[in-house]
Amino acid sequence: MDQSKPATKFGDEPDLLFNRAQGRISLHSLGASTSSEGVAAVQASLSPSANASRQLANIQLEATFNDCESDGDGQREDGAAAAVECDGVAAARGAAGLDQQLADAISGMGLTTTATSQDHHVSCQATKRATPMRTPSTSSEDDDEDVGDGELEWMPTTTTDLTSVGTASERYSDINQLLAKQQHGPGSGPAAANWAMADGYDLSAYHQVNGVWPLGHPLPLPDWGIAEDQAKGTLLFENVWQYEELNGIVETALQRMLEETHYNTVNLFVDFYRSFKRTRRSDLRSFFQFYDVPINRRHHMCVSLAFEIMARLVQMFPHLGQYLFVVSCEEQVADCNDYVQMDEEYGMNSADAGVEKEHVMVAMRFAIGERRGVMILDPGYHVGRAVTVMSDQSYPHTGWFNQSKESHLQRDYCYSYSQHSDKFVEWKEREIRGDEASFKTSLIYIAQEYMTAVDVTVRRNLVYNFRSLLSRDAKGRVYAGLYFPLVSNVQEAHLTLFYDGPNEQRVKAKLMFSAFKVGKGKQLPDYVTQHLVKLSPQLNMSQQDLTELCKSLCEVVSDQNFIGQVLAINEDIGNMSLEN
């Protein structure tokens, strides 16, 4: 018999806690209702000394590529390296509405939004098989900075570029008009959802729900939108140049977000550990089943990065919310044809399918005349391109491109429609080491919106045996960070720090976690402190915060019982998806 998963407080009696965790057959809600907070239009003004002419940012992109080596299985710590220059000046005082909002977003004038109580709820409701989610915002940091409920500052202020011409209304009026006249579905206008809040996301805007969790299954079952009125639309373009104009804006916003955010699976892991210890239980598996996964805007993995880029793009072009959607990805598929046939026979939301769905991206279906295609955004793997996938593989199809290149390793990517089914896009990866090349293929399911990204994909990541905290530049080059595997013998636990050193040299240091076991009032060893001093500014962290984070990680990885149970759950998930 199906029963909804009740809200569970830490400290519940063990027997009650155990009973609630067993066999989560139906779905649970993280909040009955969501208060709608609108995003007000942003207005910017020039100083009196500014000329009356209105100028927009002249965006210059240079493409060069580098790579970052990774020691962990399944973890790619690399990307395309370059700098993106975004200088601009906002439209003059008095300009308002969508064009003014777009001008501020593109020219990087420091977007600030104010939430109101007059915004509308998202019109698309969750299906009967699932209940909508509202995620809690928690953090492993006890002394986080106070974040106002009403203001969001997304982009830094930049200087004026006197070489650009034209106002936002002149330069982008065709895209604004294109989006405005292609309304998709009733009640899906610009104010239909509040995509991002002060330190979290309105998950109802992304149609996120909790999946069914059968007895004995290591993960909830993934789910996708099915109702016709919830399906995302196809954006129609009259010609290639019109599409490329929007693609360029999207790519610039993506590159800026890569530079401003981290890839971080470390803090979520620390949060998971602390929450488990507060329950005073010894069985991690039962706790794992009812744990409410926290999502915030500071500690990003692939899911929240997908949410973040969607929120930023909708801030720039509100009507894009009708076309952008989260898509699931199955990594390193052994046989693409067998995987597609499995979907046709069982459906991927079946326990028999045995899928992990360990990664997510963002997609947007479009058509240029009679030619159809899909745009793919993958900030979780540091891809600094708005990838174009055309069904006919003709221009503007992206094709093969270099993602990273160093002396010992070159990694190239290619995205194309699967020859087995147009429901899937194949993501091919080619690694070249010396004279040898190896290939991997992953499958992106683009037919439907992925509705269990938090409940399935983030939850799966919680027990993955590799953690990392990474800084990327605008082109996706990973230039600084730390990473570590989870090992069964906690005495061998270690982490690797890396950062850019002098003379464009990469500095890498492998440290034992035991080096961070120091008593209160005692200092870390000098060789450890020297690395933290150089790494912390490249992670945009204070030395004290980075030191405390490493000490917290030392506590987590030293807990033999906890690490052993994490690795056991991870192994069960791997065995479940072994056929794929």
Side-chain angles (χ1 to χ4, degrees):
M1 175 179 178
D2 289 358
Q3 57 182 6
S4 297
K5 187 184 81 169
T8 305
K9 297 182 179 179
F10 299 124
D12 280 351
E13 293 300 322
D15 290 340
L16 175 60
L17 202 61
F18 180 80
N19 290 336
R20 288 182 179 181
Q22 296 306 301
R24 196 188 78 180
I25 305 302
S26 62
L27 317 174
H28 70 278
S29 172
L30 297 183
S33 62
T34 303
S35 60
S36 297
E37 298 178 352
V39 179
V42 183
Q43 295 184 344
S45 60
L46 297 174
S47 62
S49 60
N51 193 281
S53 63
R54 301 164 184 175
Q55 301 171 333
L56 188 66
N58 181 30
I59 301 171
Q60 300 175 344
L61 304 178
E62 292 185 12
T64 59
F65 304 96
N66 286 295
D67 184 31
C68 172
E69 181 178 354
S70 167
D71 289 349
D73 293 338
Q75 183 73 22
R76 303 183 180 97
E77 298 177 0
D78 48 77
V84 55
E85 301 178 5
C86 298
D87 296 324
V89 58
R93 185 191 305 272
L98 185 60
D99 290 335
Q100 175 63 31
Q101 184 177 342
L102 173 62
D104 290 339
I106 295 300
S107 58
M109 290 296 294
L111 286 179
T112 301
T113 64
T114 302
T116 69
S117 60
Q118 299 176 354
D119 211 2
H120 299 291
H121 287 289
V122 63
S123 61
C124 299
Q125 302 296 326
T127 66
K128 293 183 179 180
R129 297 172 297 143
T131 53
M133 294 179 62
R134 176 85 173 181
T135 186
S137 176
T138 66
S139 171
S140 60
E141 303 169 358
D142 295 330
D143 298 321
D144 289 330
E145 296 181 359
D146 293 334
V147 182
D149 292 333
E151 289 193 343
L152 305 177
E153 294 190 359
W154 287 5
M155 299 182 182
T157 302
T158 58
T159 57
T160 302
D161 182 1
L162 299 180
T163 64
S164 60
V165 294
T167 64
S169 60
E170 294 171 346
R171 189 170 182 180
Y172 298 107
S173 60
D174 55 343
I175 294 180
N176 288 328
Q177 293 173 7
L178 175 76
L179 292 169
K181 69 182 181 181
Q182 294 190 47
Q183 297 300 305
H184 178 71
S188 58
N194 186 21
W195 298 76
M197 298 171 290
D199 190 34
Y201 304 94
D202 182 353
L203 298 186
S204 64
Y206 305 88
H207 303 140
Q208 291 299 295
V209 300
N210 285 338
V212 173
W213 199 327
L215 283 168
H217 206 67
L219 281 174
L221 300 181
D223 208 352
W224 289 264
I226 60 171
E228 290 295 332
D229 59 348
Q230 291 183 354
K232 294 289 184 171
T234 299
L235 186 56
L236 305 178
F237 294 91
E238 297 175 0
N239 51 61
V240 171
W241 317 119
Q242 198 175 47
Y243 166 76
E244 287 198 323
E245 184 174 10
L246 177 61
N247 181 275
I249 298 172
V250 170
E251 187 166 291
T252 301
L254 174 66
Q255 292 177 349
R256 172 164 289 180
M257 190 197 74
L258 290 177
E259 191 173 36
E260 294 175 349
T261 60
H262 296 100
Y263 181 86
N264 184 354
T265 62
V266 168
N267 285 90
L268 290 178
F269 190 57
V270 174
D271 290 339
F272 180 54
Y273 174 75
R274 290 179 175 175
S275 298
F276 172 64
K277 299 303 286 187
R278 284 197 295 266
T279 66
R280 301 187 298 276
R281 283 198 54 85
S282 59
D283 183 20
L284 179 65
R285 193 177 298 269
S286 60
F287 173 78
F288 178 64
Q289 289 186 339
F290 69 78
Y291 180 58
D292 289 339
V293 182
I295 296 292
N296 58 54
R297 301 185 70 192
R298 290 165 287 114
H299 307 142
H300 289 291
M301 54 166 293
C302 63
V303 173
S304 57
L305 285 170
F307 291 170
E308 182 69 20
I309 188 59
M310 288 175 67
R312 294 188 180 204
L313 292 175
V314 172
Q315 172 70 14
M316 296 163 60
F317 296 101
H319 290 296
L320 274 184
Q322 304 169 33
Y323 306 99
L324 296 168
F325 59 104
V326 176
V327 291
S328 61
C329 177
E330 194 82 20
E331 297 183 8
Q332 300 185 28
V333 176
D335 190 308
C336 293
N337 182 58
D338 288 349
Y339 190 93
V340 171
Q341 292 302 317
M342 174 272 299
D343 172 44
E344 297 293 336
E345 182 175 355
Y346 301 109
M348 286 188 296
N349 58 349
S350 166
D352 295 326
V355 297
E356 279 189 59
K357 295 302 178 184
E358 63 268 52
H359 185 50
V360 303
M361 306 177 185
V362 176
M364 186 192 79
R365 286 185 289 263
F366 67 89
I368 303 175
E370 299 298 323
R371 303 170 60 209
R372 63 185 181 91
V374 60
M375 182 192 296
I376 299 290
L377 308 178
D378 189 6
Y381 270 114
H382 329 307
V383 179
R385 290 173 178 253
V387 178
T388 300
V389 184
M390 300 300 298
S391 60
D392 58 11
Q393 299 193 25
S394 297
Y395 188 82
H397 183 72
T398 299
W400 283 99
F401 64 92
N402 177 247
Q403 171 65 13
S404 59
K405 185 176 183 179
E406 294 214 0
S407 58
H408 67 286
L409 173 66
Q410 175 176 320
R411 181 172 286 122
D412 303 323
Y413 289 166
C414 181
Y415 300 77
S416 60
Y417 277 94
S418 173
Q419 60 180 337
H420 307 291
S421 172
D422 60 4
K423 294 181 180 180
F424 295 89
V425 164
E426 293 185 4
W427 166 27
K428 295 182 177 68
E429 177 183 345
R430 178 175 60 203
E431 289 186 352
I432 302 175
R433 299 177 185 269
D435 296 331
E436 298 182 357
S438 60
F439 294 84
K440 302 173 184 176
T441 301
S442 303
L443 285 177
I444 310 165
Y445 185 65
I446 62 170
Q448 295 169 299
E449 182 177 17
Y450 184 41
M451 300 174 63
T452 50
V454 175
D455 195 34
V456 175
T457 303
V458 180
R459 190 180 302 277
R460 192 272 171 266
N461 183 271
L462 288 174
V463 292
Y464 189 56
N465 61 357
F466 191 87
R467 326 303 302 179
S468 60
L469 169 60
L470 310 172
S471 286
R472 299 86 55 88
D473 65 13
K475 288 301 182 69
R477 182 182 74 95
V478 179
Y479 62 88
L482 60 88
Y483 56 88
F484 59 93
L486 301 183
V487 293
S488 56
N489 184 357
V490 297
Q491 301 301 322
E492 300 175 355
H494 63 276
L495 81 161
T496 300
L497 310 178
F498 66 96
Y499 50 88
D500 281 345
N503 301 321
E504 299 182 353
Q505 292 184 347
R506 169 69 53 79
V507 178
K508 181 182 290 187
K510 182 178 179 180
L511 306 175
M512 299 302 293
F513 269 112
S514 57
F516 295 93
K517 288 184 177 180
V518 295
K520 291 185 178 180
K522 294 185 178 181
Q523 300 295 322
L524 294 174
D526 289 341
Y527 72 93
V528 175
T529 302
Q530 290 174 4
H531 286 300
L532 298 183
V533 167
K534 297 175 181 177
L535 173 61
S536 57
Q538 295 188 31
L539 286 176
N540 197 26
M541 299 175 65
S542 68
Q543 180 186 344
Q544 180 180 356
D545 288 343
L546 180 57
T547 301
E548 292 303 316
L549 176 60
C550 291
K551 289 181 178 179
S552 296
L553 290 173
C554 177
E555 176 188 358
V556 176
V557 301
S558 299
D559 190 327
Q560 182 74 66
N561 180 268
F562 175 77
I563 295 299
Q565 293 190 73
V566 169
L567 292 175
I569 298 173
N570 180 67
E571 184 178 5
D572 289 346
I573 296 173
N575 292 334
M576 173 200 69
S577 61
L578 193 60
E579 296 296 326
N580 299 324

